């Protein structure tokens, strides 16, 4: 039973901040790359931020300089700090865990948390 539980979404004004959390269970968290993805109505799910097991990070160009992903393996938790939010950031944000071992690829998703940014 793998569970990724997101929290921290909500309604904020443009320019505001939110901090999303994702608590993982049922996996060896430290062996999984973690990511935050988002999906707006009518759009495909897109990668927002990614952090590897080694702690290296990648960000979508649209959020660079505004969002920060971090993880604490002791807490089995990954966060997404979102600053200077824009209406275009409005989406459902999903937590993702990835494990790739030779031909075995595991991909887990949380239920999503709504982020709405008003203008």
């Amino acid at each position: 039973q793998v569970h990724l539980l997101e929290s921290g979404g909500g309604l904020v004004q443009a320019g505001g901040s939110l901090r999303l959390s994702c608590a993982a269970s049922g996996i060896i968290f430290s062996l999984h790359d973690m990511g935050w993805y988002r999906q707006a109505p009518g759009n495909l799910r897109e990668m927002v931020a990614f952090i590897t097991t080694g702690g290296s990070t990648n960000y979508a160009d649209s959020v660079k300089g505004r969002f920060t992903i971090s993880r604490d393996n002791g807490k089995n938790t990954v966060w997404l700090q979102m600053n200077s939010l824009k209406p275009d950031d409005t989406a459902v944000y999903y937590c993702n865990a990835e494990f790739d071992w030779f031909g075995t690829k595991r991909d887990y998703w949380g239920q999503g948390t709504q982020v709405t940014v008003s203008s």
Side-chain angles (χ1 to χ4, degrees):
Q1 299 275 7
V2 177
H3 294 285
L4 303 177
L5 181 59
E6 301 102 332
S7 62
L11 174 64
V12 297
Q13 294 182 352
S17 298
L18 284 174
R19 185 174 175 86
L20 306 183
S21 297
C22 173
S25 61
I27 61 172
I28 303 176
F29 183 83
S30 62
L31 299 181
H32 288 72
D33 296 331
M34 302 298 298
W36 286 98
Y37 295 72
R38 68 187 181 189
Q39 186 168 21
N43 292 345
L44 297 174
R45 189 170 299 184
E46 64 175 342
M47 190 274 290
V48 176
F50 190 81
I51 185 166
T52 69
T53 58
S56 61
T57 58
N58 286 287
Y59 299 92
D61 288 341
S62 60
V63 307
K64 285 182 179 177
R66 300 189 297 121
F67 291 10
T68 303
I69 188 171
S70 59
R71 67 188 294 163
D72 187 331
N73 291 339
K75 297 181 181 295
N76 284 8
T77 301
V78 61
W79 296 272
L80 183 67
Q81 178 67 47
M82 305 185 295
N83 299 325
S84 301
L85 283 163
K86 306 174 181 179
D88 285 348
D89 296 319
T90 296
V92 178
Y93 284 70
Y94 297 90
C95 179
N96 171 259
E98 296 181 0
F99 178 79
D100 195 353
W101 186 73
F102 293 92
T104 300
K105 184 175 178 65
R106 300 166 187 163
D107 194 19
Y108 306 108
W109 295 92
Q111 83 290 339
T113 184
Q114 177 70 48
V115 172
T116 302
V117 184
S118 64
S119 59

